[in-house]
Amino acid sequence: MSTMFGALNRFISRLDSESTSQTSRDRSTYGFQILRNKNHEIPIESWYDFIVGINGRQVDNPDPNLFATEVRNCAGSNVSLILWNAKGARTRTIALPIPTPSPTLGITLQWTPLSVAEDVWHVLDVITNSPADNAGLLPYGDYIVGTPEGNVHGESGLGELVEDYLGRNLRLFVYNHEYAVTRLVTLTPSRSWGGSGALGCVLGFGALHRLPVPMTEPIAGPGETLFETARFSNEEHRPLSAQPSQSQSPSLDPPPSSTPDASTFLVPASMTAPPPPPPQSATSPSAGPPKGVKKQRNVAAPNMTFDDYFREGEQKSKEEDYTTSTKGMAPLPPPPKSTKAPAQVENTEATADTQLEAEKPTISEAKPKPESQDD
């Protein structure tokens, strides 16, 4: 099973490497990662937030002094920061006031590529009485996002770190998706705990196991963008194929009306509606239409409810079941009278007995006559 998941992850990683230029540009984008936030009034999350733009321009210079100068220039006003969050790979823009006495933000930054957010290991299963179980790792909800022991990169990075810390305490930063908290977990990898592996847990890595969107945020609706991309004023413009070219004149046709036609809706049965119109003629159902006139089909009224429609169909079904058509059929003969049947049976039996008696020879007829002798 682990081999199949590993092959699937490598296949998805290959697809990611061969994706469009937009995805490649996002992978190679750098930003200032927030390592520490001393000002708790600023809605910035440590480790997960990256500053990728300031005042509408992309941050493309790793010099932190230029960034600090831009912030000081906004003293007495607001500075606009474009943040990229590793949870769901979403981008947002916030405006922060910069005080005049000390024009600083109170945060610690580090120039880091956004691809470090992909080095995440998802805890899928934890074996009982294993080092991972004793450390308190939870399946499905926990994600290993880093370690204070050093940088870990790639799918095999965590495995190599675990091998280096066999029999020693290893500290890991673990993020829980259900509770939206990050905690420091200490465990001791071992090969002699009684099971397979040094940690005793199943880990997932790759595109299917990255940090999801927090549960507190609303779920994206149909047609909404799942992964947002920031646009900067100093970024090279890339026209989309769906947008019309500059040589084409814009269409002057008015947009279609957003109000749909009322006839396209189905009226629920619980809603009241006027009764169906009465029939045009009061003829009997057995009488057919006159010759030369086509039979009119029954069409349900547009304002007829489901109950009226089914009630009309039930009434027509009952009329067809209990109505017998006699067109082109001869009348049935009356049943025979039951008074003459016994007499005929008795006469038949008497005739049969008479015939049997007539066929039996008598004794006198069966004996031969004696011959006469002369004296």
Side-chain angles (χ1 to χ4, degrees), residues 28-46:
S28 60
T29 301
Y30 279 72
F32 285 109
Q33 185 181 15
I34 310 297
L35 299 181
R36 183 179 302 176
N37 182 11
K38 300 179 182 179
N39 188 359
H40 299 287
E41 297 180 357
I42 299 178
I44 295 179
E45 195 172 7
S46 300

Side-chain angles (χ1 to χ4, degrees), residues 239-251:
L240 300 177
S241 59
Q243 297 179 353
S245 60
Q246 298 179 357
S247 60
Q248 298 177 355
S249 59
S251 176

Side-chain angles (χ1 to χ4, degrees), residues 185-207:
V185 175
T186 303
L187 50 81
T188 304
S190 175
R191 295 286 185 184
S192 59
W193 63 272
S196 60
L199 297 180
C201 62
V202 181
L203 301 178
F205 183 87

Side-chain angles (χ1 to χ4, degrees), residues 32-37 39 42-51 83-87 92 94 107-108 175 180-182 211 214 217:
F32 285 109
Q33 185 181 15
I34 310 297
L35 299 181
R36 183 179 302 176
N37 182 11
N39 188 359
I42 299 178
I44 295 179
E45 195 172 7
S46 300
W47 197 91
Y48 303 102
D49 277 339
F50 293 75
I51 299 177
L83 302 176
W84 182 87
N85 192 273
K87 301 176 182 178
R92 70 185 190 276
I94 60 174
I107 56 179
T108 304
Y175 166 76
V181 294
T182 303
L211 294 179
E217 295 187 9

Side-chain angles (χ1 to χ4, degrees), residues 278-303:
Q280 299 295 336
S281 59
T283 58
S284 61
S286 60
K291 295 182 179 181
V293 179
K294 294 183 179 180
K295 185 178 180 180
Q296 184 179 4
R297 297 182 179 180
N298 295 328
V299 180
N303 56 354

Side-chain angles (χ1 to χ4, degrees), residues 70-78 98-101 103:
E70 185 72 19
V71 173
R72 286 194 295 268
N73 293 337
C74 299
S77 60
N78 294 336
I98 304 300
T100 304

